[in-house]
Amino acid sequence: MSMVEMIRDSAGAVAPRGGDLSRIRALRFTRPGFDRAVWRQMAEMGWVGLRVAEDQGGTGLGMAEYCALAEELGRGLAPEPLVPGVFSAALLAACGDAPGLEALLSGEALPLTAWQERADTLEAPGTPGAPRVFVPMAAGATGFLLPVREDGGLALQAAEATPEIVETQDGGHYGTIAAQGTRIGTLPAKALDQALDEAALATAAMLLGVMERSFGMTLDYLRTRQQFGKPIGSFQALQHRAVDLQIQVTLSRASVEAAAATLDAGAAPAARRAAVSRAKVRAAEASLLVTRAAVQLHGAIGYTDEYDVGLYLRKAMVLANQFGSAALHRRRFMANAVDADE
């Protein structure tokens, strides 16, 4: 069994394939919006430190394994903020001896990185004292990490703050914080850029899991729902629609897996950015197309909040813009694709 297959199997402890979504429903629109015991379980399984080197307490696995895990968590709609947690772990590890990494990897703490100062960006200005926006699941943070510009470089600060919370469509939330922190380390050049790229690609992988599961639910419905004495999936028009959706899922998987392979091969920055942006554009747009079609193909029942397929559309609507929208990543791909080919 390959490591990717082992990672997928281990995800079943938190997000079993085809499992009951009652846990997810119970956590919607609550605070902190996820289960802290499940978060600790994720940490104990080594997921938070998946991208951290073994000599720093992590598991030192690649992006192929990380994307496989993110895909399974997307499939199960897990609300625990694994991608933001892995992002914070990457920055603490990059600082070398910065305090807090051990507590994060063990699940005892959850410092979330507040890097974004405006909507729809993949750049971190690092303005000291500036409000930081769109921090996912901020109510569950035990503290915050702030990248701050310092002498032409970046420092990492630790801060305590009470976030201002805005709820999101999927039952989670974003937080805005404004705080001054305490310096805990220096971020090496390009460490933040690479961590943001990895978070964007992991988000694309989550979107892949979201759309694939919603499509699977739709196929099951088309096979069982009867009309005029036969399954509606036997109607040619619906078969053609299903094929179109399958193509979207397949192309998204190819883009995500190709981008993971590019990063694992140690590609140059321009090639890395182009691969990540291509995958994020594909996953963001395809997930919205597939999940909306899934709701529609279920008929009236698909539009009710009590029916699970709608939860996948809500999750796609939130994840599609995390770590950059499709529009942003399309511009970014065009800016980097030429350099990547040279």
Side-chain angles (χ1 to χ4, degrees):
M1 179 181 291
S2 70
M3 183 58 70
V4 168
E5 291 172 328
M6 292 175 64
I7 286 285
R8 290 188 185 279
D9 285 347
S10 71
V14 171
R17 285 201 169 198
D20 182 8
L21 295 180
S22 58
R23 181 181 86 89
I24 310 305
R25 288 186 172 279
L27 289 168
R28 290 198 304 162
F29 304 112
T30 65
R31 298 290 182 273
F34 62 91
D35 189 328
R36 293 192 185 277
V38 172
W39 171 255
R40 287 192 295 272
Q41 183 182 2
M42 288 178 165
E44 289 167 1
M45 289 191 289
W47 294 356
V48 182
L50 189 144
R51 294 291 291 152
V52 176
E54 291 185 67
D55 60 7
Q56 291 183 287
T59 52
L61 296 179
M63 284 304 299
E65 290 81 8
Y66 185 15
C67 287
L69 175 60
E71 180 190 337
E72 295 300 321
L73 296 182
R75 184 190 302 274
L77 300 179
E80 286 71 27
L82 182 71
V83 172
V86 172
F87 179 44
S88 292
L91 298 188
L92 287 171
C95 287
D97 58 354
L101 179 59
E102 183 178 353
L104 173 57
L105 297 184
S106 69
E108 296 176 12
L110 176 55
L112 294 177
T113 301
W115 59 276
Q116 197 170 351
E117 295 178 28
R118 60 180 176 83
D120 201 15
T121 181
L122 212 61
E123 297 178 356
T127 309
R132 307 296 175 91
V133 297
F134 301 114
V135 183
M137 308 305 281
T142 58
F144 297 93
L145 302 178
L146 309 176
V148 176
R149 293 289 168 186
E150 176 186 270
D151 299 327
L154 273 176
L156 192 64
Q157 296 183 354
E160 300 292 330
T162 300
E164 179 183 339
I165 298 300
V166 175
E167 292 182 338
T168 53
Q169 284 280 348
D170 63 342
H173 60 269
Y174 286 128
T176 297
I177 70 164
Q180 296 285 348
T182 301
R183 191 183 193 282
I184 60 173
T186 301
L187 279 171
K190 307 302 182 183
L192 180 58
D193 291 342
Q194 182 168 340
L196 284 168
D197 278 341
E198 292 185 2
L201 182 54
T203 303
M206 288 192 74
L207 285 165
L208 173 60
V210 167
M211 74 175 95
E212 191 161 52
R213 177 59 184 141
S214 67
F215 180 61
M217 294 172 66
T218 303
L219 288 182
D220 290 341
Y221 182 79
L222 294 178
R223 293 185 186 110
T224 56
R225 176 73 166 89
Q226 298 267 331
Q227 214 173 58
F228 307 114
K230 61 177 66 176
I232 61 174
S234 65
F235 301 154
Q236 192 173 61
L238 297 185
Q239 290 176 355
H240 289 171
R241 189 101 183 264
V243 169
D244 288 341
L245 298 178
Q246 178 66 74
I247 289 171
Q248 293 296 324
V249 174
T250 301
L251 290 174
S252 298
R253 176 173 297 283
S255 292
V256 168
E257 291 181 351
T262 298
L263 269 62
D264 284 339
R272 184 191 73 222
R273 290 191 291 267
V276 168
S277 288
R278 180 178 60 190
K280 186 59 162 58
V281 169
R282 170 64 67 181
E285 293 186 340
S287 64
L288 291 174
L289 188 154
V290 171
T291 55
R292 285 170 177 160
V295 169
Q296 185 182 46
L297 288 168
H298 276 79
I301 193 173
Y303 289 88
T304 64
D305 187 64
E306 292 78 7
Y307 199 76
D308 286 345
V309 75
L311 299 180
Y312 288 88
L313 172 57
R314 290 174 179 272
K315 179 63 76 173
M317 291 171 67
V318 173
L319 291 179
N321 289 327
Q322 278 190 10
F323 296 100
S325 68
L328 179 146
H329 279 284
R330 184 175 285 104
R331 294 192 299 269
R332 189 170 179 258
F333 174 80
M334 293 301 295
N336 287 276
V338 174
D339 293 338
D341 289 339
E342 292 179 351

